């Protein structure tokens, strides 16, 4: 019986060492990152009329009608 109690006590000690306290709090500053957005002046060529068909969606065409 003494062995069973010591094994349970050892398991409890291991559990307490692993889960006994909460992890350290992460600050909001460490979770966010500020990145400057690209200017929206149109000089980066974001609109491509030749490639605009790639994003066209039509339910009738998707269904094969």
């Amino acid at each position: 019986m003494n062995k069973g109690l010591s094994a349970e006590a050892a398991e409890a000690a291991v559990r307490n060492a692993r889960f006994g306290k909460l992890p350290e709090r992460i600050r909001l500053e460490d979770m966010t990152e500020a990145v400057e957005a690209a200017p929206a002046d149109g000089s980066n060529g974001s609109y491509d009329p030749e490639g605009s068909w790639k994003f066209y969606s039509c339910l009738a065409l998707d269904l094969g009608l």
Side-chain angles (χ1 to χ4, degrees), residues 12-25:
V14 169
R15 216 172 21 255
N16 189 21
R18 184 171 180 192
F19 303 111
K21 64 177 183 171
L22 294 174
E24 294 182 21
R25 184 176 294 267

Side-chain angles (χ1 to χ4, degrees), residues 18-48:
R18 184 171 180 192
F19 303 111
K21 64 177 183 171
L22 294 174
E24 294 182 21
R25 184 176 294 267
I26 300 174
R27 299 182 311 165
L28 180 64
E29 294 83 20
D30 295 337
M31 292 189 289
T32 58
E33 180 179 358
V35 178
E36 289 190 29
D41 60 358
S43 65
N44 59 357
S46 61
Y47 177 71
D48 180 21

